[in-house]
Every structure is written in structure tokens, then in C-alpha cells.
Amino acid sequence: MAKTTRQQYDNTSIVSLKGEERVRKRPAVIFGSDDLEGCKHAVFEILSNAIDEAREGHGDTIIVTRYEDLSVEIEDFGRGCPVDYNEKEKRYNWELVFCELYAGGKYGENGENYEYSLGLNGLGSCSTQYASEFFDATIRRDGFRYDLHFEKGRNKGGLKKEPTDRKKTGSCFRWRPDRQVFTDINIPVEYYRDVLRRQAVVNKGITFRFRYQVGSKFETEEYLYENGIQQHLEELVGDDAFTMPAYWEAERRGRDAENRPEMKLKITSAFCFSKKVNHVEYYHNSSWLEYGGSPDRAVRSAFVAAFDKFLKDNNKYTKNESKIIYQDIQDSLVLITNCFSTIGCFENQTKKSVNSKFTQEAMTNFFKEKLQVWFIENKQEADRAAEQILINKRARESAEKTRSNIKKNLVAKVDIANRVQKFVDCRSKDASVRELYIVEGDSALGSVKQSRNAEFQGIMPVRGKILNCLKADYNKIFASPIITDLMKVLGCGVEIEGKKAKELSSFDIEALRWNKVIICTDADVDGFQIRTLILTMLYRLCPTLIRDGYVYIAESPLFEINYKDGGQELTQFAYNELEKARILKEIEGKKYTIQRSKGLGENEPEMMAMTTMNPETRRLIKVMPEDAERTAYYFDILLGDSLNERKNFIAENGAKYLELADIS
């Protein structure tokens, strides 16, 4: 086979991206991704600069507009971005701000322009401009209006300068993110609402006005929190707090390392405890820390240490009781923190996490100190909080013990020391041939047991109608011994979605002890209902068994037709009315008797072996739902609150399953 010719890798292979290509070809480096999330971050970059101006006291209103063509406009009333000629740099400032990465007004040695700044790296304006289909800037300052127009990262027409038409200074930018850079630019209205509300919370006194175009009109909303995080905390808890909201603030100075410059850190925090609400938000330089980082680690450490000491000092732990963990506190905690630092300590340009040794240590000590004072000055409230934390702790431990026991029970090996009541195993240990019959009640157990092949067919009876697993929560499901016994017999564990059931997600198809799981119920309305309940349980707890074709339905006949032909006693079985009519037509003229099945428990073993158990003659339906949503839809109909509706639906549609019948 000829080798594929590869491009030579030599000294000419190294390429330097220039100009707009630095962002347009690798947007994820700056924005975190090249999808909608990256596009959102580009908006936040421009918004950050407007916030920095307003927070320094230059303007108190920021206007954000979302147009129907998906372009965005952000206007502030600050000092206006300098864009004229820069004698020091021997270039126009607009070239530095909009066309040069790592250039801006926040690199001064003393930070004279911005004490606490969200935009720090000189990347935002330039990278957003580079990533736009078009980008228009209008700047008003020094008595002039400056206009710039860019297309796909390149300036068109240079800088236009004329006397300003208004007294107010400020910057206004309108741009449309480029679909050649981002896979999606349709930023939803809810994103703007969420971001602007959060920024109003941590920038008290600043009005954030949001306009979004609907047809030829603009809908307008405003966000303003005069009291910042205090007001937001009260908004979150309403009347559901059982401790009064506390508001703390302080300043700390320090360094991340000896060779790093000194950082000034301003910490503000508000918290209370509630039995109905638990909510924690972290901000740094007003950026919401979606991933937390140092502030989150500080809160966890400080609150656990402080409350653990309070519980010990006040003898609230019982003898030999384990100490609390943060989850026990968080379950009732409502807390908002916002820090500002003079030196940036974000983990990366997307500003979703902070990583700073000094920030973490300073905040940990801040919360420990404040909590110690709070315990003394608010003893009754501290007692209430501590008691609720202990309630949360003991409830958690009880739930963990229950989950642990359930998990062990679901995957435990079934043997003489760990028997499941009335389960009948088969002799073979080869899972590739073993078949499990799930039967309806003790009477069916008897007839199936007598007619089975004990070498490879096992039996598991279910007593009555099992729980409707489609709507029940997991605690209720696993409180049912019928369900836990059946899952133990299956041996493969359960596959459950959601955080609460994480510890139970131990499904292993390789541990399944059976090649076929066969549901065997009476051929009447009640039998159909029990069959559906069992299918629902399997669909909810181990849907892979259905998807991969391990689950079957055993069809038992409705009619036994006996007749004589040439002196011989013959028997045929009909599984529905159509088959009965066909058989009667075939034996027309002969004497016959028809016996309707009254249930599996009343069938003769010979009949059960021939019609339901023998692989050569039985009828099995392999359960293979077209998709999970459709299955859930029909299960919901069958398991709804209306008993009559359910019975009518089953009676009318149950026979349709026979169209899927196949000899297996």
C-alpha cells in the first residue's frame, strides 16, 4: 500500500497569525468557545468596560439594546474611550483599543484610571471587534464626536471627527457577531436579563436599561438595586428567613506570593438562614463566578470551621457524633459575596472563576472573624441556625445510609444466605441461556413452576399491582420490597439520572443474570395493567434492558378449543377472537368445545408448557420501543389518574400487541 504523502515540517512551517486572524481563527482562546457561550462572552467584554466607567463615578446608566437582526448595542455615559492621536505611542488610540490585543487604559503602574476594574487585560474591545461582521463605535469626549466603522476586523474609512452634538460624554458601540466566527449568534433575551440583573445587584446605584426590538417597537426593562446585595438577599428569601439578614464588609491587603505586587481586596457579603431557600452567589469585580474558585473554597472552609466550633462549645453534638460538612450548612444558607481587587486574579479571560491564594486566605479569615462576632451578638439566631444545620446533617446521614443499603441490596448476589422470597432459580449458571419469567401472583407461580424447564428457566412472582414507577420518586420506589427484590434477582443494578440518585447509578449490563426477561401475566385487562406496570418499572430503572432487547412478553392463549378429527382428540389454542374464528372455520362441521382461559394459575401444566414455556412452540413479543419519549407517553396514558380511561384504552388496544408476535 502506498504511503500518504505528508506536508514537510521544516523551518517554513511556523506561521504567525496577524491582525484579526488572531481572534477569528481561534476565537475559543479569548472567548472560551466558538459557540453561543463564546458569543455571549463577547457581549460581556464590552459591557464590562461600561461597568468599569460607571463604577468609577462616570455616569450612572448603561443601555443595552438587542436588535432583531441580532446586532447588539451598548451605550454608557462615562468619559468616552480615547481614540485620537497618542503622542506617547505615536499611533491613534483607536488602533490600540480596537486593533491591538493587550492594549488599553488599565496598565498604569498605580492604576490611576480604575481602582477596581472588571476589564483588565486589554483584550475585550479588540477581540469583540475582530469577531464581528461589523462594528461601529461612536465616542463623545473633549467636545468632539468620533466615529469608526469596522467590517470583519478591518477598519473602513478611518476616524471621523466633528464637534459633538451633545454635552454628555460617553461611548456607544453597535456590532453584529460574525457567523463565520461563532457557530451561533442568536443570544436569547433571557441571557441579557440575567446578566443585567446580576450586574445591577453588585453595582448598586447603577441603572441597567435593557431594550429589545420586537417588530418596529422596542420593549424596555430596567434593573436598579439601590442597596445592592442586601436588597437582593431580601428579594431571594422574602419572609422565609429564620435569621435576620447580616451585611458585612472589610478591606484586606496582601500578596499571592512574595514576588507579586500588593493587592487591595474589598470584601462585601450578605447572608441569612432559611428553611425554604438555599442559594449562594459569588462575584469578583462584579463578574459572576459561575465556577466559584477561591471565594467558594473560603466560604466552605470558614463556615464549617466556625459552626463546628460553635456546636462543640455549646455541647450541641450528641456523644460520638460525626462533625458537620458544608452541605449541611448550604442546605439552609442564603449568601451573596462580591469582592473587588486591584489586581486581577481570574483563572482566564472568561472570568468565571478566581484563583488567588491571598483572596482565599483573606476571605476565610474574614468569614471566621465575622461569624465569631455574630455568634456572640446574635446568640438566639446562632442557636437556631446551628440546630437547623444539625437537622440537615442527620437527615443527610440517614438518607446516605438508606441509599447505601439499597445499593448493596440491588447488586447483592442471590444465594442461600440472601434469598428472595418465593424466587425460583434455575440450575444453569450460564447467563447466555438463562430465562427469567416474571409472573403474576402465587397461583401463576405454581403452574409455571410445574411446566418450566428447570435447567434454564427461573421464576419471580410479583404480588398484586406494583407501584407506578413513572410518577413516583426514588425514595418511594426503593421502599417497595417487590421492586428491590426483582432488581436483586436481575442482578444488573439500576441506571438513574439526577444528582440525588447518583450513588445508586451502578448499572452494569455485564452483571445481568439472564438472557431473556419474560413478563407473563393473565390475558385480561388486569393482566395488561400489571404487565404495563412491570414494563414501566424496567423502563424507569433499567431502560437499557428494553433498548437492547432483553425484555419479552409471553402471550398466553385466551381460548382452548378441543375437537375430534378421525377419531383423534385434538386441541388448538387461540390467542384472540380472530384466531378463534379462524380455527372454528377450519373445523367447521366437527364437534368441539371451547374453554376460555380464566388465568395462568388455572392452566394445566401441559398446556402452559406448550403455549407459554416451550421455546419451540411459545409466542414471545420482544419489547423494543421506537423511542423513550413515545414509550413514556403511552405509559402515562396507561398509568394516569383515571381508572376507567385506562381500562378502556387497554381493552381497546391491548390485542394490538399480538401483531408483533413471533416464535422465539
Side-chain angles (χ1 to χ4, degrees):
M1 180 181 293
K3 292 185 177 179
T4 303
T5 302
R6 296 184 179 179
Q7 185 176 355
Q8 191 172 10
Y9 182 66
D10 57 20
N11 285 324
T12 65
S13 301
I14 306 302
V15 176
S16 172
L17 293 178
K18 299 175 179 63
E20 69 279 2
E21 290 182 339
R22 291 172 291 175
V23 173
R24 294 179 68 83
K25 287 194 173 183
R26 295 292 186 271
V29 174
I30 300 295
F31 303 115
S33 69
D34 63 356
D35 57 10
L36 188 62
E37 291 305 309
C39 187
K40 291 176 183 176
H41 185 71
V43 173
F44 191 70
E45 289 287 356
I46 303 298
L47 179 63
S48 298
N49 293 331
I51 292 171
D52 288 340
E53 275 291 284
R55 196 162 55 228
E56 290 294 319
H58 307 293
D60 60 3
T61 301
I62 295 171
I63 303 172
V64 178
T65 305
R66 178 191 188 271
Y67 292 93
E68 278 197 332
D69 66 357
L70 304 183
S71 62
V72 185
E73 183 179 86
I74 296 179
E75 182 177 12
D76 67 58
F77 301 90
R79 291 166 290 184
C81 177
V83 290
D84 220 330
Y85 193 74
N86 186 326
E87 286 289 347
K88 182 178 180 181
E89 294 288 335
K90 301 303 180 184
R91 296 174 67 183
Y92 278 93
N93 278 318
W94 69 261
E95 296 178 273
L96 297 172
V97 172
F98 299 113
C99 302
E100 193 71 60
L101 297 174
Y102 297 102
K106 298 167 185 176
Y107 289 111
E109 290 184 7
N110 300 317
E112 64 274 8
N113 291 320
Y114 301 92
E115 183 178 23
Y116 298 111
S117 176
L118 177 53
L120 294 165
N121 302 321
L123 295 171
S125 297
C126 177
S127 56
T128 300
Q129 187 278 114
Y130 276 159
S132 299
E133 182 182 343
F134 70 84
F135 186 98
D136 291 325
T138 299
I139 313 294
R140 292 179 174 88
R141 63 171 291 135
D142 304 327
F144 291 96
R145 168 176 168 159
Y146 301 87
D147 287 283
L148 291 156
H149 175 69
F150 300 86
E151 294 179 8
K152 295 187 180 296
R154 298 196 176 188
N155 176 253
K156 304 291 183 180
L159 177 67
K160 295 179 181 179
K161 178 180 177 181
E162 60 184 30
T164 185
D165 53 357
R166 75 179 190 195
K167 291 183 179 181
K168 283 189 176 181
T169 59
S171 303
C172 182
F173 307 105
R174 181 175 176 179
W175 75 98
R176 182 161 59 227
D178 198 337
R179 286 188 173 89
Q180 293 180 354
V181 176
F182 300 107
T183 59
D184 188 357
I185 67 168
N186 189 7
I187 301 175
V189 169
E190 283 306 314
Y191 168 78
Y192 292 98
R193 286 173 171 155
D194 181 63
V195 167
L196 297 181
R197 180 191 60 79
R198 289 182 185 277
Q199 291 307 313
V201 166
V202 292
N203 293 286
K204 62 182 180 181
I206 299 176
T207 298
F208 290 82
R209 185 174 301 144
F210 176 45
R211 303 166 66 242
Y212 58 98
Q213 188 176 10
V214 181
S216 59
K217 297 182 180 179
F218 287 87
E219 302 289 337
T220 303
E221 301 171 7
E222 284 194 356
Y223 303 90
L224 171 65
Y225 284 77
E226 292 287 359
N227 294 314
I229 61 175
Q230 287 178 278
Q231 184 178 338
H232 182 42
L233 183 81
E234 294 167 0
E235 180 183 71
L236 286 171
V237 296
D239 297 326
D240 294 325
F242 64 84
T243 66
M244 290 294 292
Y247 178 77
W248 300 330
E249 60 181 358
E251 281 193 4
R252 300 284 190 269
R253 290 178 180 268
R255 306 171 189 267
D256 278 337
E258 289 184 4
N259 63 341
R260 301 299 297 158
E262 185 180 65
M263 177 193 306
K264 184 165 72 172
L265 181 71
K266 183 179 179 181
I267 308 168
T268 59
S269 182
F271 88 98
C272 66
F273 285 91
S274 169
K275 290 185 179 180
K276 294 184 179 180
V277 181
N278 59 80
H279 186 85
V280 176
E281 289 181 30
Y282 302 109
Y283 296 85
H284 188 86
N285 287 8
S286 87
S287 181
W288 175 46
L289 302 180
E290 186 177 353
Y291 305 138
S294 298
D296 179 56
R297 291 190 289 270
V299 167
R300 289 172 181 269
S301 174
F303 271 76
V304 170
F307 271 98
D308 177 56
K309 185 177 186 301
F310 181 82
L311 290 166
K312 288 176 180 176
D313 292 347
N314 290 273
N315 299 313
K316 291 186 180 292
Y317 282 126
T318 60
K319 188 177 180 180
N320 299 323
E321 186 173 12
S322 61
K323 67 178 287 185
I324 59 172
I325 64 174
Y326 178 65
Q327 180 185 331
D328 307 325
I329 300 170
Q330 187 180 21
D331 284 345
S332 298
L333 178 65
V334 185
L335 178 142
I336 307 160
T337 69
N338 185 29
C339 299
F340 292 99
S341 64
T342 51
I343 296 175
C345 50
F346 292 106
E347 286 191 354
N348 52 45
Q349 178 67 11
T350 58
K351 303 181 178 72
K352 293 184 178 181
S353 180
V354 162
N355 185 16
S356 163
K357 180 182 177 183
F358 166 69
T359 299
Q360 183 172 335
E361 291 175 350
M363 292 186 69
T364 299
N365 293 332
F366 165 79
F367 281 114
K368 282 183 178 179
E369 293 168 6
K370 294 295 184 181
L371 282 169
Q372 291 302 322
V373 174
W374 186 74
F375 291 151
I376 296 169
E377 295 181 349
N378 302 274
K379 183 62 167 59
Q380 290 184 338
E381 293 194 343
D383 283 336
R384 285 199 293 271
E387 288 162 6
Q388 184 60 46
I389 289 169
L390 283 176
I391 291 172
N392 297 342
K393 169 188 176 293
R394 290 158 186 165
R396 171 183 57 80
E397 291 174 339
S398 176
E400 287 174 353
K401 184 177 180 181
T402 300
R403 286 195 295 269
S404 178
N405 291 337
I406 290 172
K407 184 174 182 178
K408 291 177 182 177
N409 195 30
L410 293 178
V411 298
K413 184 178 179 181
V414 180
D415 54 28
I416 294 175
N418 184 30
R419 296 183 66 92
V420 173
Q421 187 179 15
K422 297 186 179 180
F423 164 62
V424 180
D425 205 351
C426 59
R427 289 191 290 268
S428 176
K429 302 303 179 185
D430 183 359
S432 66
V433 299
R434 287 162 56 92
E435 300 178 350
L436 177 66
Y437 274 77
I438 303 174
V439 300
E440 177 186 350
D442 293 342
S443 60
L445 170 64
S447 61
V448 172
K449 185 176 180 180
Q450 293 180 61
S451 57
R452 72 174 178 140
N453 185 324
E455 180 62 28
F456 63 90
Q457 291 178 328
I459 313 167
M460 177 64 191
V462 293
R463 301 169 294 282
K465 294 183 175 74
I466 67 171
L467 181 71
N468 177 355
C469 292
L470 187 66
K471 297 182 178 180
D473 60 39
Y474 290 124
N475 290 334
K476 191 172 183 180
I477 289 173
F478 292 119
S480 167
I482 298 175
I483 293 173
T484 54
D485 281 352
L486 180 54
M487 298 310 299
K488 186 192 297 184
V489 169
L490 290 173
C492 56
V494 293
E495 46 185 331
I496 295 175
E497 296 180 355
K499 294 181 180 179
K500 291 184 179 179
K502 185 177 181 181
E503 295 183 22
L504 293 175
S505 301
S506 57
F507 181 82
D508 181 6
I509 193 65
E510 298 298 324
L512 180 65
R513 299 180 179 126
W514 311 92
N515 183 52
K516 286 184 174 66
V517 178
I518 303 168
I519 302 170
C520 188
T521 61
D522 290 342
D524 57 15
V525 171
D526 287 336
F528 276 119
Q529 186 180 1
I530 293 171
R531 174 194 299 177
T532 304
L533 288 166
I534 296 171
L535 278 173
T536 304
M537 181 198 68
L538 296 175
Y539 167 74
R540 179 87 185 276
L541 302 182
C542 43
T544 296
L545 297 189
I546 296 176
R547 188 185 68 239
D548 290 357
Y550 286 96
V551 181
Y552 295 80
I553 293 171
E555 282 298 324
S556 55
L558 279 175
F559 305 100
E560 179 181 345
I561 303 172
N562 297 293
Y563 61 95
K564 288 185 178 182
D565 187 7
Q568 289 184 315
E569 293 281 350
L570 299 175
T571 301
Q572 289 197 52
F573 300 99
Y575 289 77
N576 54 44
E577 291 286 348
L578 290 175
E579 290 193 5
K580 182 183 78 170
R582 177 181 56 77
I583 293 171
L584 293 181
K585 187 174 182 180
E586 289 176 358
I587 63 173
E588 191 173 7
K590 299 180 177 68
K591 290 185 178 181
Y592 62 85
T593 60
I594 299 178
Q595 183 176 346
R596 184 181 177 91
S597 173
K598 296 180 180 179
L600 297 176
E602 298 186 23
N603 289 342
E604 295 293 330
E606 293 80 6
M607 174 187 173
M608 282 294 296
M610 184 185 303
T611 62
T612 310
M613 308 298 295
N614 188 342
E616 300 298 325
T617 57
R618 69 188 177 189
R619 290 188 181 184
L620 295 184
I621 299 171
K622 180 181 284 190
V623 180
M624 291 292 287
E626 292 183 7
D627 57 71
E629 291 184 3
R630 183 177 178 185
T631 302
Y633 169 73
Y634 282 113
F635 282 176
D636 195 33
I637 292 177
L638 294 169
L639 301 172
D641 296 327
S642 173
L643 179 63
N644 289 333
E645 183 180 355
R646 179 167 65 249
K647 286 189 174 184
N648 291 337
F649 182 88
I650 294 171
E652 293 174 6
N653 297 279
K656 294 178 182 178
Y657 283 107
L658 294 177
E659 297 175 4
L660 302 174
D662 190 14
I663 301 298
S664 175

